[in-house]
Amino acid sequence: MTKCKTAERREPVFGQPPGNKARIDENVPRRAGRSRVTRKRRSPVALLLYWGMIATVWAVAAGAGVIAYQATKLPPIDALAVPKRPPNIAILDENGVLLANRGDTGGAAVRIADLPPHLPKAFVAIEDRRFYSHLGIDPQGILRALIRNTTGGGMVQGGSTLTQQLAKNLFLTQERTVSRKIQEAILALWLEHKYSKNQILELYLNRVYFGSGTYGVEAAAQKYFGHGAHSVTLPEAAVLAGLMKAPARLAPNRNPAGASERAGQVIAAMVQEGFITDAMAMLALAHPAQAIRDRNASSVNYAADFLMDTLDDTIGAINEDIAVSTTLSVSLQAAAEKALTGELDRKGAAFGVGQGALVALAPDGAIKALVGGRNYADSQFDRAASAKRQPGSAFKPFVYLAALEAGLTPDSVREDAPINVKGWQPENYARDYFGPVTLTKALALSLNTVAVRLGVEVGPKAIVRVAHRLGIASDLSANPSIALGTSEVTPLEIVTAYVAFANGGIGVQPQIIAKVKTASGKLLYQRKGASNGRVIDPNQVAMMNSMMQETLLTGTARKASVPGWQAAGKTGTSQDWRDAWFIGYTSHLIAGVWLGNDDNSPTKKASGGNLPVEIWSRFMQAAHQGVPPQPLPGGIWQGGTPSDATVPMADNNGFPFPSSLPGAPAGDARALPPARASGAPVPPADIPNPGVFGQKQGAQSGKQNFFDTLFGG
C-alpha cells in the first residue's frame, strides 16, 4: 500500500486521464499553487528595477532626441570659426554724436606659454577645477550646482565648465534657456574634440569679458594694472580670475573692496587645489592688488559702463563692430556733470560732502543723463545705478500715494504731534509741531509725525506695494519706519519711480539703448515703446502733483525753480545728515540728485533743501532752455474741502479713533471718512513690534533711539 501511494504521488500531473482529477487536485496542485502566487507577488525591488530600466531607456531616447533636435539648429560644426578679435562698440548719443568707444580695448592674443603659471591656474581653480579631466561637460559640477541651488547654500562655482563658457561667449547668445544650455554642451564637446586643453584655455583667456569694456586677459591687465599679462602677479591674477563671477560689479577700479574679497576666495581655491603654497597665499593676501587710476575723468564713462553692463543681455554675443545709439543727450550729460561737479567744487567741502550722483529720465523712461560720481578718474563706482542709500523723506510720496488710494485727499487733516509707536518716538526735523494740518502741508513741510501716522494707518505693506509698483526694485522692510525712508534704494530706481508722477501715471523701466546696428548697417535691436501700464489713477496723479508742487512753492524746496514750468518734487535727508536728496520733475524731464560720502559718514548738515536743490535747479534750467513750457499731465488737483477734512477724534498719540474700536467717542461722525470705515487706523497697541528700533517697549518718551534723528526736508 505504501508503495502504491508513493507511486500515485509521483504520477505526472499533465496527461492524466479525467478520472484522476481528484488526485491531481489533492497532491500536486499545492506546489503549483505556490508557484502561481510567487508569480503574482513579484518583489517590490524587482518591480522598481524593472520600471526604472524602462524609464531610463525612454529618458535616454528622449534626451537623444532633444540633443539631436538642438544640434540641427546649430550651424554646421565645421563652419564655426573663432572670432579674430573683440569687436569695437561705438556708443552714440540720441543724435549720433560719438560718446565713447568700448570693446576696442581687446588686447593682443597671448600664449599660455608666455604667461606666469599662476595666472591660468587661478582661472582653473575658481571656475573649473576638473578642467583637465572632463570632456567639456562636468556632470559632477552640474550636480553640485543643482544641489547648492536647491538647498539654498549658494555656489562657489557654477555648473558650466571653462569649455562651455568659451562656447557660449564665442557662438551663442546670453539667453538663459534650456535650449541654449543644450547647444552650449554640444559645442563644448566639439571644442574638446577639435582643440587641446591648453588651446581651449588660451582661447578662453583671450576672449572672455573682464568688465569696463575689456576683452581678454592682456587688455584687462593693461586696463586695471597698467602692464601686460606676462607681468601679472599672484594677487593680480586672483583679481582677474575673480572677475568672472560678475565683471561689472567686481571690477577693481569700481569696487576695490568687492574685488579684493573675491580675490581672497580665488587664492583659497588655489591652495586647496595645490596650485600654490600656504606661504604664497599669505603673502598674496598681505599685499592685495591695487588698480591704477583711469586717466579719463569724463562722466560719460559712467553711462558707457552702465550701457555695457546691459548690452550683453540685450543682444547677446557680439561678433563684429557695432554702433549703439543711446537715449543719452550729449548736452544734458555735460550739463549734469557741470552742475554736480561745479557745486561740489564750490560748496562740497563746506558741507562735508565728498560724492554725488545725478540721473535724469524722460517721461517714457529713457535715460537722458547719468553721472555716477564726482570724478570718473578717481572712482569708477557708479553711485547713480549701483549705490544703495537711505532716501529719507524722498520716499514719502509713496506713503502719501498709499494714503490717497485708501480714500484720503490732499485736504484731509491729520495731527502733527508727538507720537509713540511701541517705544519708537520719531520727531520732526525742527522738533516743533503744527497740530492739525492738511496732507498737502504735511508733505510740503516734510512732517515726520504725519508720515508715520499715515504709514500706520494704511499699513507698511501697502506702502511697499505702492513703491514696488511704481518702480522701486530693491527689497523694502515693511515696518513703521518705512514711512521715513529707512530702506535703501539706488538713485536710478527712485527717480524711475517718480516718472509715473510726471507722465500721468504710467509705470516705466529705465532704458539707455535705443538701437544697435552692425558696421554694415544691419539692425540688431530696436527699442520699442513699452511700459508697465497704468500704475496710478489719473485723479490721484493730479493730487500728488498738487501736493508735491507745494514743496517747491512753500515747502522744503523753495530754492528749486524752473522758470515758466510747472514743477514738483520732494526733498530727503537721512539720519545724521548722511544722505541728501532732491528729486523733482516737469512734464519734460525727471531728475534726481544724491549727495553724501562713500564711507557713509555724516555730512556737515547737507540736507535735501540746500545743496541738492541748487544742483537740481542749475541742471534743470539748462535742460529746459528753448523747450516750450508744458503743464504736468493730469494737471493740478482742484478739489474742495472733503467731508473728512475736520480733525478726527484722536487718542493721546494723535491716532484717530474709529468708532468700532474700544474707547471711541459714541456717535463720532468725524471718526473716519466713509472710504476708510472698513480699514480703520491701527492703534499703537496693535502695531507689531518692529524689533529693529533698538529701544525696548515702554521706553521713556524723552529717551531717543536709533531713528530719533530721522528728519524731513
Side-chain angles (χ1 to χ4, degrees):
M1 291 291 294
T2 304
K3 241 174 163 186
C4 185
K5 191 171 183 181
T6 303
E8 282 182 0
R9 292 192 180 194
R10 292 181 179 176
E11 287 176 355
V13 175
F14 300 102
Q16 292 290 341
N20 292 331
K21 184 175 186 300
R23 277 204 306 273
I24 294 172
D25 294 337
E26 187 178 318
N27 299 317
V28 178
R30 191 168 295 182
R31 288 192 297 271
R34 284 198 297 269
S35 177
R36 286 195 296 272
V37 171
T38 301
R39 286 196 298 271
K40 290 180 180 178
R41 297 182 181 177
R42 182 174 292 172
S43 166
V45 175
L47 286 172
L48 182 63
L49 290 173
Y50 173 76
W51 287 111
M53 292 174 62
I54 295 295
T56 301
V57 171
W58 279 107
V60 170
V66 171
I67 292 173
Y69 171 72
Q70 294 299 333
T72 63
K73 299 170 68 175
L74 291 171
I77 293 294
D78 293 339
L80 291 172
V82 176
K84 293 182 179 180
R85 66 162 178 83
N88 180 63
I89 301 169
I91 301 175
L92 314 174
D93 91 329
E94 60 184 353
N95 296 316
V97 177
L98 180 66
L99 296 175
N101 276 301
R102 288 289 188 271
D104 57 342
T105 52
V110 293
R111 298 170 57 243
I112 280 190
D114 298 330
L115 297 175
H118 52 252
L119 180 54
K121 287 179 179 179
F123 287 84
V124 172
I126 197 66
E127 288 294 310
D128 190 358
R129 300 184 182 191
R130 281 176 292 279
F131 173 69
Y132 286 102
S133 61
H134 62 64
L135 298 177
I137 303 172
D138 183 10
Q140 185 176 346
I142 294 173
L143 180 62
R144 182 191 65 249
L146 288 173
I147 292 174
R148 291 194 176 225
N149 274 339
T150 303
T151 59
M155 286 193 300
V156 176
Q157 296 172 285
S160 295
T161 65
L162 286 176
T163 314
Q164 287 176 273
Q165 294 179 44
L166 177 63
K168 177 184 69 173
N169 290 331
L170 290 180
F171 307 118
L172 300 174
T173 66
Q174 303 300 308
E175 60 179 344
R176 296 173 176 86
T177 63
V178 175
S179 174
R180 205 269 296 154
K181 292 296 291 184
I182 295 174
Q183 293 173 350
E184 177 186 291
I186 295 171
L187 288 171
L189 294 173
W190 174 76
L191 285 170
E192 291 276 349
H193 173 73
K194 187 174 179 64
Y195 299 99
S196 69
K197 287 290 186 180
N198 279 346
Q199 286 176 319
I200 290 172
L201 187 54
E202 188 173 287
L203 282 170
Y204 178 87
L205 292 174
N206 281 299
R207 303 299 173 189
V208 73
Y209 180 59
F210 284 87
S212 297
T214 56
Y215 293 84
V217 69
E218 174 68 17
Q222 294 284 358
K223 171 75 174 181
Y224 297 127
F225 306 120
H227 55 71
H230 65 281
S231 303
V232 166
T233 64
L234 176 57
E236 292 171 347
V239 169
L240 294 177
L243 281 171
M244 298 302 97
K245 182 179 182 181
R249 183 166 56 85
L250 296 176
N253 59 353
R254 301 169 67 183
N255 185 6
S260 180
E261 180 181 356
R262 179 62 174 169
Q265 297 172 4
V266 175
I267 290 172
M270 295 179 74
V271 172
Q272 186 177 357
E273 294 303 306
F275 292 157
I276 60 174
T277 65
D278 288 337
M280 295 170 66
M282 292 178 64
L283 184 62
L285 293 173
H287 300 87
Q290 299 294 326
I292 62 172
R293 289 181 55 184
D294 196 307
R295 291 180 291 274
N296 189 346
S298 173
S299 69
V300 77
N301 286 284
Y302 290 113
D305 288 347
F306 177 77
L307 180 144
M308 291 300 298
D309 293 345
T310 60
L311 184 62
D312 197 41
D313 288 332
T314 301
I315 63 173
I318 302 170
N319 298 321
E320 57 184 311
D321 293 350
I322 61 172
V324 182
S325 298
T326 71
T327 61
L328 295 166
S329 164
V330 66
S331 60
L332 293 184
Q333 183 71 29
E337 178 180 349
K338 185 177 180 180
L340 181 69
T341 59
E343 291 299 319
L344 286 180
D345 288 344
R346 289 195 310 116
K347 299 181 179 180
F351 281 98
V353 174
Q355 277 295 348
L358 190 156
V359 60
L361 274 66
D364 64 351
I367 298 175
K368 311 307 292 184
L370 187 150
V371 181
R374 188 172 184 174
N375 187 296
Y376 186 83
D378 290 338
S379 172
Q380 288 79 51
F381 178 62
D382 184 358
R383 296 154 190 84
S386 300
K388 290 193 172 185
R389 308 291 297 224
Q390 287 187 347
S393 295
F395 191 84
K396 287 178 181 175
F398 310 119
V399 180
Y400 280 74
L401 177 57
L404 297 184
E405 293 178 349
L408 304 185
T409 74
D411 285 342
S412 297
V413 174
R414 290 296 180 264
E415 188 79 10
D416 176 33
I419 183 173
N420 188 315
V421 182
K422 292 278 188 173
W424 175 46
Q425 302 167 39
E427 298 177 329
N428 291 334
Y429 162 58
R431 290 183 171 84
D432 56 1
Y433 303 95
F434 292 86
V437 293
T438 64
L439 298 194
T440 297
K441 182 175 182 179
L443 183 60
L445 298 179
S446 203
L447 302 178
N448 283 344
T449 65
V450 176
V452 172
R453 281 189 171 83
L454 292 176
V456 173
E457 187 172 336
V458 301
K461 290 183 179 179
I463 297 170
V464 170
R465 286 194 297 269
V466 167
H468 283 162
R469 189 176 77 233
L470 267 63
I472 298 293
S474 295
D475 292 335
L476 302 173
S477 298
N479 57 49
S481 71
I482 189 69
L484 302 185
T486 54
S487 289
E488 295 176 338
V489 298
T490 68
L492 177 58
E493 64 182 324
I494 193 169
V495 172
T496 299
Y498 269 64
V499 170
F501 297 128
N503 68 10
I506 306 301
V508 302
Q509 295 180 358
Q511 299 285 337
I512 195 171
I513 301 175
K515 185 188 302 181
V516 181
K517 286 186 176 182
T518 65
S520 60
K522 179 183 177 182
L523 183 65
L524 300 179
Y525 171 81
Q526 175 77 54
R527 178 179 178 238
K528 297 179 180 178
S531 73
N532 295 336
R534 177 161 295 282
V535 295
I536 310 177
D537 180 88
N539 191 44
Q540 290 160 2
V541 172
M543 292 181 183
M544 291 302 302
N545 287 342
S546 174
M547 289 192 289
M548 284 199 280
Q549 179 181 244
E550 198 64 27
T551 302
L552 277 68
L553 298 176
T554 63
T556 56
R558 288 187 294 275
K559 295 180 180 179
S561 67
V562 186
W565 287 80
Q566 273 188 347
K570 185 69 188 77
T571 57
T573 314
S574 70
Q575 58 170 343
D576 296 333
W577 314 89
R578 298 177 191 274
D579 304 275
W581 299 76
F582 181 66
I583 307 168
Y585 58 90
T586 66
S587 60
H588 175 61
L589 201 63
I590 304 92
V593 176
W594 166 84
L595 299 178
N597 294 308
D598 286 341
D599 61 1
N600 205 32
S601 60
T603 66
K604 297 177 181 178
K605 296 190 176 181
S607 70
N610 47 48
L611 202 51
V613 162
E614 295 175 17
I615 294 171
W616 182 89
S617 297
R618 181 172 175 178
F619 166 71
M620 291 290 275
Q621 289 172 17
H624 286 75
Q625 285 186 357
V627 182
Q630 295 290 331
L632 289 169
I636 300 298
W637 185 73
Q638 299 293 336
T641 302
S643 59
D644 69 321
T646 53
V647 183
M649 298 293 289
D651 62 14
N652 292 333
N653 288 312
F655 286 98
F657 274 123
S659 56
S660 60
L661 291 177
D668 177 25
R670 302 177 302 164
L672 280 177
R676 292 294 296 156
S678 62
V682 182
D686 292 345
I687 301 171
N689 188 353
V692 296
F693 300 135
Q695 185 170 341
K696 297 180 180 179
Q697 296 184 31
Q700 295 299 319
S701 60
K703 185 177 180 180
Q704 296 186 356
N705 58 32
F706 181 71
F707 287 101
D708 279 345
T709 50
L710 282 171
F711 43 76

